[in-house]
Amino acid sequence: MFLKRWSVAIAIWCLFVGTVGAGNASPTPMDFVKERIDQIITILNDPTYHTPGQKGSQRDRIWEVSQPMFDFKEISQRTVGPKWDLFSEAEKEQFTHVFSSFLGNTYIDKIQGEYHNEQIVYLKELVKEPLALVRTKLVRESVEIPIDYRLRKNDNQWKVYDILVENGVSLVQNYRVQFRSILEKEPPAELIRRLEQKLQEQNQALQ
Amino acid sequence: MKNRSFTSIALFTVALLFLIGCAGATRSGDRGTPGELPSDPESSLSASTSEGENQLSDEELLLLEDDSDWNDGPTEEIYTVPDPIEPFNRVMFTINDKLYLWIMIPVAKGYAKVVEPQIRTGVKNFFFNLGAPIRIVNNILQGKGKAAEAEVARFLYNSTVGVLGFGNPAKHHDGLNPDPEDLGQTLGVWGIGDGFFLYLPVLGPSTLRDTVGFVGDRYASPVGFVEPMELSLGLSGYNVLNTLSFRTDDYRTLKDAALDPYVSFRNAYIQLRQSKLRR
């Protein structure tokens, strides 16, 4: 009798600890990406933002949700490449700030303008600590676009540091080649200035 | 007679250059040939999680590989193609840009408004199906027997069950969706380098090797054999318009996201072709 009750207690305890344990386990890279993207889609579909004049606040909200998904410091370093060493500490910070704002503006505006309930299919995740690759596919009418997220684990937290479109076209590499051609002729300050100028143009256009 | 066919081929090529567009560096690997259907090695909606199932293919390993050599000194592992005629290419880029933004994209948008997606998808499938013989030949030339067989099977299946290729029932079968191969890739597999970068009128980004391959593929395309020539050109042009109608916003997206659009398109094209060569 006692034994039976004891075993039930243990069973319940195991169950409880099990669920709590599962809850505490850090999410897999795919869960992490999916959770964030689902949140963004929720905001996109939210009727509150479908009234005129709400585009700006919707953009801010998407930015808020998507920011934790990316490691902008890592993205900035990789985008600049070996020339990162030429940047002073202040310039590194400036660059990271202006480049992440530029990316946010560019892509959030696109997503807002072009999202029409496309389906996102999560194909698989590949983990090779501290790196991971989450493979997804954007399904639109009859066009499918493969999109892969490269993640890196820092302080026990997965963050995206590069996005690959069409099976291997890296966004980071694309920007790196563009910035490299500028940095070959100009100092880092000039690259930052040009990004800031572009950012201003964007902000005016988004007003 | 012989003269006439030569003239018609020459005319055909020139006119094609004017009719065929390829959306910048978007899905352009199959430029001018029927709209490419994405191949998905696994159409399962479920994710394979847990380390046990993580069997990495070579290609995936490459995608996963950390390119953290950015701080390993001055050398970088980025594949680039020489661009000796950059000033000319940049002029072409500007001309194409206007052609796209002012003419081709508005026309494709109007067409997409009028014609239902189902019909446009059918048209796309039809042209893609017509390209099967060329892809089969290129697979054989590259020694990809399995993919060639898959292409043959898909061609037969979509031509019959898919009603002359308007439908694409093969899409839902694993193993019937090999990556599309073209002559540019075949030449690459044979060890011929890219040569140099070219920005072609209307066609957009290319390299010397891929341009040669493109002309060869066009020459073997069934659409090229349609008589009279005007009809053949009309068909090619229509196919291009139809393909573009699915991706009218992509060109702008890419352009707006760049600090130097020309360099961005060049790199995106080279990266895309490299990834196709790997597969």
Side-chain angles (χ1 to χ4, degrees), chain A residues 73-90:
Chain A
K73 197 162 176 281
E74 185 84 16
I75 290 171
S76 300
Q77 280 181 358
R78 285 169 185 276
T79 313
V80 172
K83 294 198 162 63
W84 189 242
D85 300 339
L86 302 176
F87 286 57
S88 69
E89 282 309 312

Side-chain angles (χ1 to χ4, degrees), chain B residues 110-250:
Chain B
Y111 165 74
K113 267 209 175 72
V114 177
V115 183
E116 284 176 19
Q118 288 89 335
I119 295 177
R120 288 186 287 123
T121 304
V123 170
K124 190 171 101 163
N125 290 341
F126 174 77
F127 279 108
F128 182 75
N129 196 46
L130 275 188
I134 298 174
R135 294 192 298 270
I136 293 165
V137 169
N138 278 307
N139 270 313
I140 293 169
L141 291 177
Q142 292 178 38
K144 293 181 175 166
K146 243 181 123 163
E149 282 170 25
E151 282 282 3
V152 173
R154 172 164 65 181
F155 182 62
L156 295 174
Y157 191 40
N158 281 349
S159 302
T160 51
V161 181
V163 194
L164 299 181
F166 284 102
N168 182 19
K171 190 177 165 179
H172 307 293
H173 292 269
D174 282 358
L176 281 189
N177 293 288
D179 289 312
E181 299 295 341
D182 55 48
L183 191 54
Q185 291 173 66
T186 303
L187 296 173
V189 168
W190 291 356
I192 295 171
D194 272 298
F196 58 87
F197 184 70
L198 265 174
Y199 212 92
L200 298 172
V202 187
L203 286 169
S206 188
T207 63
L208 186 61
R209 181 190 68 209
D210 287 345
T211 306
V212 170
F214 172 76
V215 172
D217 278 340
R218 289 303 314 174
Y219 192 64
S221 158
V223 178
F225 288 101
V226 173
E227 291 281 342
M229 207 172 72
E230 291 81 359
L231 179 61
S232 161
L233 291 177
L235 281 173
S236 303
Y238 176 50
N239 175 29
V240 168
L241 171 77
N242 189 68
T243 308
L244 187 63
S245 76
F246 291 102
R247 314 189 72 141
T248 49
D249 293 326
D250 290 6

Side-chain angles (χ1 to χ4, degrees), chain B residues 36-89:
Chain B
E36 184 179 338
L37 292 170
S39 57
D40 45 337
E42 16 155 21
S43 16
S44 64
L45 292 178
S46 65
S48 72
T49 40
S50 84
E51 300 78 83
E53 289 174 75
N54 269 346
Q55 288 178 331
L56 303 189
S57 69
D58 288 352
E59 190 221 343
E60 286 177 330
L61 204 61
L62 203 82
L63 296 184
L64 184 64
E65 279 301 280
D66 193 0
D67 65 340
S68 63
D69 49 9
W70 59 266
N71 57 3
D72 291 355
T75 53
E76 285 175 86
E77 296 293 311
I78 292 185
Y79 178 81
T80 50
V81 170
D83 192 0
I85 55 169
E86 186 174 328
F88 166 82
N89 282 338

Side-chain angles (χ1 to χ4, degrees), chain A residues 28 30-31 74 77-78 80-85 102 106-107 110 113-114 116 119 121-128 131-133 135 137 139-146 148 150-152 161-162 164-182 191 194-195 198 202, chain B residues 26-27 37-40 42-51 54-56 59-71 73-80 117 120-121 124 171 179 245-247 249-250 252-253 255-261 263-268 271-272 275 278-279:
Chain A
T28 68
M30 190 187 280
D31 294 340
E74 185 84 16
Q77 280 181 358
R78 285 169 185 276
V80 172
K83 294 198 162 63
W84 189 242
D85 300 339
F102 163 78
T106 307
Y107 290 100
K110 288 293 158 199
E114 292 171 24
H116 305 295
Q119 190 201 359
V121 182
Y122 294 84
L123 297 167
K124 60 159 117 171
E125 65 180 350
L126 310 161
V127 184
K128 210 175 120 190
L131 301 173
L133 184 75
R135 314 209 68 179
K137 186 168 76 168
V139 182
R140 196 202 276 179
E141 285 177 334
S142 82
V143 182
E144 295 180 352
I145 304 167
D148 301 322
R150 275 179 168 162
L151 296 95
R152 196 187 177 86
Y161 71 86
D162 194 4
L164 309 170
V165 238
E166 302 280 6
N167 294 311
V169 179
S170 149
L171 282 182
V172 164
Q173 190 193 112
N174 195 279
Y175 282 113
R176 192 193 294 185
V177 172
Q178 291 178 57
F179 294 167
R180 192 172 59 181
S181 65
I182 294 169
L191 175 62
R194 282 168 84 166
L195 272 170
K198 185 114 183 160
Q202 277 181 335
Chain B
T26 55
R27 185 182 284 287
L37 292 170
S39 57
D40 45 337
E42 16 155 21
S43 16
S44 64
L45 292 178
S46 65
S48 72
T49 40
S50 84
E51 300 78 83
N54 269 346
Q55 288 178 331
L56 303 189
E59 190 221 343
E60 286 177 330
L61 204 61
L62 203 82
L63 296 184
L64 184 64
E65 279 301 280
D66 193 0
D67 65 340
S68 63
D69 49 9
W70 59 266
N71 57 3
T75 53
E76 285 175 86
E77 296 293 311
I78 292 185
Y79 178 81
T80 50
R120 288 186 287 123
T121 304
K124 190 171 101 163
K171 190 177 165 179
D179 289 312
S245 76
F246 291 102
R247 314 189 72 141
D249 293 326
D250 290 6
R252 243 219 150 89
T253 304
K255 200 186 146 197
D256 289 348
L259 206 60
D260 181 342
V263 173
S264 170
F265 276 53
R266 182 176 65 193
N267 169 269
Q271 281 200 64
L272 187 70
S275 107
R278 285 197 301 266
R279 282 176 292 137

Side-chain angles (χ1 to χ4, degrees), chain A:
Chain A
M1 190 67 219
F2 168 78
L3 252 182
K4 200 170 168 187
R5 244 200 275 172
W6 184 234
S7 61
V8 169
I10 286 182
I12 289 172
W13 185 77
C14 281
L15 217 80
F16 177 74
V17 170
T19 47
V20 170
N24 279 348
S26 59
T28 68
M30 190 187 280
D31 294 340
F32 171 72
V33 170
K34 187 172 184 313
E35 179 204 8
R36 290 283 153 189
I37 291 179
D38 285 347
Q39 282 181 324
I40 294 169
I41 291 176
T42 309
I43 299 167
L44 286 167
N45 289 332
D46 188 342
T48 331
Y49 297 114
H50 292 184
T51 47
Q54 286 298 305
K55 222 174 159 175
S57 52
Q58 187 187 43
R59 189 171 55 244
D60 295 344
R61 188 79 191 89
I62 294 174
W63 185 223
E64 220 174 290
V65 168
S66 52
Q67 238 176 331
M69 190 169 154
F70 299 96
D71 185 341
F72 287 111
K73 197 162 176 281
E74 185 84 16
I75 290 171
S76 300
Q77 280 181 358
R78 285 169 185 276
T79 313
V80 172
K83 294 198 162 63
W84 189 242
D85 300 339
L86 302 176
F87 286 57
S88 69
E89 282 309 312
E91 282 170 335
K92 283 178 185 174
E93 278 196 23
Q94 272 177 314
F95 178 85
T96 306
H97 176 73
V98 69
F99 186 50
S100 50
S101 309
F102 163 78
L103 288 175
N105 268 353
T106 307
Y107 290 100
I108 293 173
D109 186 52
K110 288 293 158 199
I111 294 167
Q112 279 179 300
E114 292 171 24
Y115 176 75
H116 305 295
N117 281 321
E118 283 95 346
Q119 190 201 359
I120 296 170
V121 182
Y122 294 84
L123 297 167
K124 60 159 117 171
E125 65 180 350
L126 310 161
V127 184
K128 210 175 120 190
E129 299 254 356
L131 301 173
L133 184 75
V134 175
R135 314 209 68 179
T136 73
K137 186 168 76 168
L138 184 78
V139 182
R140 196 202 276 179
E141 285 177 334
S142 82
V143 182
E144 295 180 352
I145 304 167
I147 301 177
D148 301 322
Y149 298 84
R150 275 179 168 162
L151 296 95
R152 196 187 177 86
K153 203 173 194 170
N154 265 340
D155 305 333
N156 220 2
Q157 174 67 56
W158 290 105
K159 294 249 167 166
V160 176
Y161 71 86
D162 194 4
I163 294 178
L164 309 170
V165 238
E166 302 280 6
N167 294 311
V169 179
S170 149
L171 282 182
V172 164
Q173 190 193 112
N174 195 279
Y175 282 113
R176 192 193 294 185
V177 172
Q178 291 178 57
F179 294 167
R180 192 172 59 181
S181 65
I182 294 169
L183 287 170
E184 266 162 10
K185 307 180 198 87
E186 311 279 356
E190 172 62 13
L191 175 62
I192 293 167
R193 194 196 61 78
R194 282 168 84 166
L195 272 170
E196 273 169 349
Q197 189 190 338
K198 185 114 183 160
L199 191 66
Q200 272 177 354
E201 286 166 20
Q202 277 181 335
N203 285 335
Q204 274 164 3
L206 293 172
Q207 285 310 317

